[in-house]
Amino acid sequence: MENTHNFPKTDRISVITASILVSYALLPFVQISSRQVAFTIFGILISLNFNIFSLISIITAALAAAGTDWMLREHPNIGDNSTVPHLILPALTAGAIGIPLGFLTVSLTWWIILGLGSLLVLSVLVGEYISLDKQNQYFPIALMVLSAISFSLFLIIVIAVRAANLRLYLTAAILPIVYAFFSLRVLQLRFGGSWPVKWTAVIALVIAQFTIGLYYWPLSPVRFGLLLLGPAYALIGIASSLEESPDFSDIYLEPLLMLGIIWLLAIFIG
């Protein structure tokens, strides 16, 4: 079958990216005090702190999801296909930009991170558009880019959650759920369209166990993030390999090798 090379229309992708960029760029000029919301569940007091960055992260995530749906509707291969799988990464990417921005004071670094975040959003949008057509000659590149961004964002979120010193029940609830969304999308791309709900549930449960086991260790946020990223990457690799090849070396060699490399980085970098 002949390869295609469909790309999103520049006007639509520009509007989406610009909307997200402007939403965050206005933050230094908006001063709203943070508010704390407290409630109890089964006798456990849960206290959440909401600020302008939290609000904008939610808004930009919704903008990214709606914008991605609008962009994909003009794809020649969309047909009756659902756009829902393609909305996960753009929404998470746009929302995750607010995490490092919320920890930093407005400076040159703040604006650099905003610019890099905008490039990430642009890359995800283009990648999701290309992933609609497996005959697109850039499909393998799109798959690699979307996977790499997924793992990078998961690492950023884990580091941010660790740095925020959240209590165990919040950390153990937030990280597996966030990772489940990333895992669902990455595995769905690798499996070729089917929803890997069972694999996602198993992998998220294992990540929850790692999260609980590492929580009380005296680890820096970066080291904690890398120690979780290792099994997060390896488990998705093993799941993909089990579906594609029964050969032992094909299943475990690459995931376990990457697990070792990431954990070595945690030792020497974290």
Side-chain angles (χ1 to χ4, degrees):
M1 190 175 292
E2 185 179 355
N3 287 337
T4 60
H5 51 275
N6 293 312
F7 279 94
K9 291 183 178 179
T10 54
D11 56 345
R12 296 199 178 195
I13 200 169
S14 299
V15 169
I16 301 167
T17 308
S19 299
I20 296 170
L21 179 61
V22 169
S23 297
Y24 281 117
L26 291 176
L27 284 177
F29 310 102
V30 179
Q31 299 296 327
I32 299 178
S33 59
S34 61
R35 295 191 177 185
Q36 194 171 54
V37 178
F39 56 93
T40 58
I41 298 179
F42 303 115
I44 301 174
L45 177 63
I46 298 177
S47 180
L48 301 175
N49 189 41
F50 288 95
N51 54 31
I52 186 62
F53 289 95
S54 304
L55 177 61
I56 293 298
S57 291
I58 295 172
I59 292 174
T60 54
L63 279 173
T68 303
D69 180 79
W70 175 54
M71 177 187 70
L72 295 177
R73 290 299 174 186
E74 57 88 29
H75 195 289
N77 289 6
I78 187 63
D80 295 327
N81 296 324
S82 172
T83 61
V84 173
H86 303 274
L87 309 183
I88 297 173
L89 279 183
L92 289 175
T93 304
I97 296 175
I99 295 175
L101 296 180
F103 283 101
L104 298 173
T105 57
V106 179
S107 61
L108 179 60
T109 303
W110 193 94
W111 291 103
I112 290 174
I113 291 176
L114 177 58
L116 292 175
S118 300
L119 291 177
L120 276 181
V121 172
L122 181 62
S123 300
V124 169
L125 291 174
V126 174
E128 289 291 359
Y129 189 92
I130 292 174
S131 69
L132 264 175
D133 182 10
K134 292 184 180 179
Q135 302 305 319
N136 194 308
Q137 60 181 338
Y138 299 107
F139 179 83
I141 298 176
L143 177 59
M144 288 189 294
V145 169
L146 292 175
S147 298
I149 291 176
S150 297
F151 290 117
S152 300
L153 288 175
F154 178 67
L155 177 61
I156 292 171
I157 292 172
V158 172
I159 292 173
V161 169
R162 181 68 171 184
N165 292 318
L166 298 180
R167 296 176 68 177
L168 174 60
Y169 64 86
L170 286 175
T171 302
I174 293 172
L175 295 184
I177 292 174
V178 169
Y179 180 69
F181 282 107
F182 287 123
S183 174
L184 190 66
R185 181 56 182 139
V186 173
L187 287 176
Q188 198 256 355
L189 279 168
R190 296 189 180 185
F191 289 175
S194 60
W195 285 96
V197 177
K198 292 182 180 179
W199 274 117
T200 298
V202 171
I203 293 173
L205 180 61
V206 174
I207 293 300
Q209 297 300 313
F210 271 99
T211 302
I212 294 170
L214 293 171
Y215 180 82
Y216 288 109
W217 287 31
L219 302 170
S220 68
V222 173
R223 183 167 292 168
F224 182 80
L226 289 171
L227 287 175
L228 273 186
L229 179 65
Y233 180 92
L235 288 168
I236 283 184
I238 291 172
S240 301
S241 299
L242 283 171
E243 294 291 327
E244 297 169 359
S245 172
D247 187 73
F248 181 85
S249 60
D250 291 339
I251 294 174
Y252 297 105
L253 181 60
E254 190 266 346
L256 293 181
L257 179 63
M258 288 303 299
L259 173 64
I261 292 173
I262 294 173
W263 276 1
L264 281 175
L265 287 174
I267 295 172
F268 293 107
I269 296 179

